[in-house]
Amino acid sequence: MSKLSCEIVQDLLPLYHDEVCSPETRASIEAHLADCEHCKAALQKLRQNSSLPFEVFRENKQESAALVSFKGYWKRSKAASFAKGLLVATAICTVIITGYYGLFRWNSTEVPSSVIKITDVSLMKDGRIAYHVKLTDGYRVNQISGRMGDDGILYMTPKRPVIKSKADAERGLANGYTAINLEQFNANRSSSAPKVKAIYYGAKKDNPILLWEQGMELPPSSAAVEAQLQVGTRELPPGPPGK
């Protein structure tokens, strides 16, 4: 093959660089490059330009892989953070709700006997025992808990939440007449359970007030009390079967 000109060599340089030309052409190009600095510089520039995209691609690929890895980590971290946040929020809400009901709703505190005033204990025509109760501290009572032991003594304990309220205290269980249907209470207990021998108002451990005991004679209820405590109004519900 005759000696190639610079124009032809530079046209063939891409084929030479990519190693797709024939052995004869390659030999002629190399022979020309041995004596031509201009074409040799052109080849060097071609090599630099062609190698740049590969390096950039490799760097971009590494950066892309890093971004993908970080994205996965971010998603996992975000999901884990969301789950932790949800658990923490649920726990906080549970504590708040439990605390609220424990302090404001649950009747867990027994009213001390020192603020209980019992008056006008009497016997109604239908055999019920009527009495008037007033709590002198001015706070509302939410519940009257009746508890009876094997000794036949019934304790009626007023209860309220830890955080006391004065709302409707004068019209609720803290101030008014109440009747106890002792006959029905005994009838709803098992035959083996002891009958009621005495009734106390207040907690057993806190010097409760005696309302009635066997052998005690009570005065008859007034007409006003009879009218106010008609059957089904403000009376102690029947006791459960058994004890």
Side-chain angles (χ1 to χ4, degrees), residues 125-145:
K125 293 178 181 179
D126 59 5
R128 288 182 295 160
I129 299 173
Y131 62 94
H132 184 275
V133 58
K134 180 176 177 59
L135 301 189
T136 59
D137 60 357
Y139 289 101
R140 184 175 65 191
V141 172
N142 294 2
Q143 175 184 343
I144 305 297
S145 176

Side-chain angles (χ1 to χ4, degrees), residues 8 11 27 30 45 47-48 64 93 107 126 137 198 226 233-234 240:
I8 294 176
D11 288 341
E30 290 177 348
K45 184 176 181 181
R47 287 174 174 171
Q48 291 176 351
S64 177
C93 289
N107 300 310
D126 59 5
D137 60 357
E226 291 279 358
T233 61
R234 301 195 64 175

